[in-house]
Amino acid sequence: MNVEQVYKDANALLEGHFLLASGNHSARYLQSAKVLEYPKKAAELTDALAKMIRNYGIEVDTVCAPALGGVLAGYELARSLDVRSIFVEKKEGGMELRRGFEIKKGEKIIICEDIITTGGSALKAAQAIEALGGEVVAFASLANRGFCKRVGGDNDVKPACKLPNDIPLFSLDDFTFEMYRPEECPLCKGGSTAIKPGSKS
Ligand code: ZN
């Protein structure tokens, strides 16, 4: 599967001049919500992800996503793996399980995101699950921004990656974009203005 083409076809791989959450600028931006707009397409992506996870040979009881960004990908991955789907939600300083969701001691859980950038939300989700006695057996995402190392990927892990390196990360592809500090941004020097994509615009 050509994952980059799937993102392009869904207008989920934006090209332009973007202000990222980190404050840096970039000429490309991944809007994974767009690639999940069509459930059949989403299912193709998570079927491919589920295949990677099964081939690796780990046992999974449940998929847990950090809300809001990971919920659709997590739900579809759970369907592809034929396991249960739950999500955790933001609280002060971390994430927590709400809405009557429960996990058993030793339950084998995959934390699933739409995109792993540095993995901060995924790590907080994992901490919430482990605090309740669950076992985090893997991380998964549709796209990996190249800070963390995915199983089978060519990139080395970068210092910014927050995920533990003893737990595998499964992603369909690496999307490593050039990022610029605003004062060094060639797009700014070209006279254009960075716009803020994503959930806050
Ligand atoms: Zn710029």
Side-chain angles (χ1 to χ4, degrees), residues 21-56:
S22 61
N24 291 324
H25 294 189
S26 174
R28 301 175 95 194
Y29 184 81
L30 275 186
Q31 181 51 276
S32 267
K34 288 288 288 178
V35 91
L36 298 170
E37 219 171 14
Y38 296 97
K40 276 192 179 162
K41 189 54 76 181
E44 279 175 35
L45 293 167
T46 55
D47 282 352
L49 194 54
K51 198 172 160 194
M52 294 167 81
I53 293 163
R54 283 203 192 96
N55 287 346
Y56 194 80

Side-chain angles (χ1 to χ4, degrees), residues 17 25 185 187-188:
H17 184 188
H25 294 189
C185 175
L187 303 161
C188 285

Side-chain angles (χ1 to χ4, degrees), residues 78-90:
R79 189 194 334 237
S80 296
L81 288 169
D82 193 19
V83 299
R84 195 162 76 98
S85 172
I86 59 175
F87 56 85
V88 289
E89 295 169 75
K90 278 200 182 95

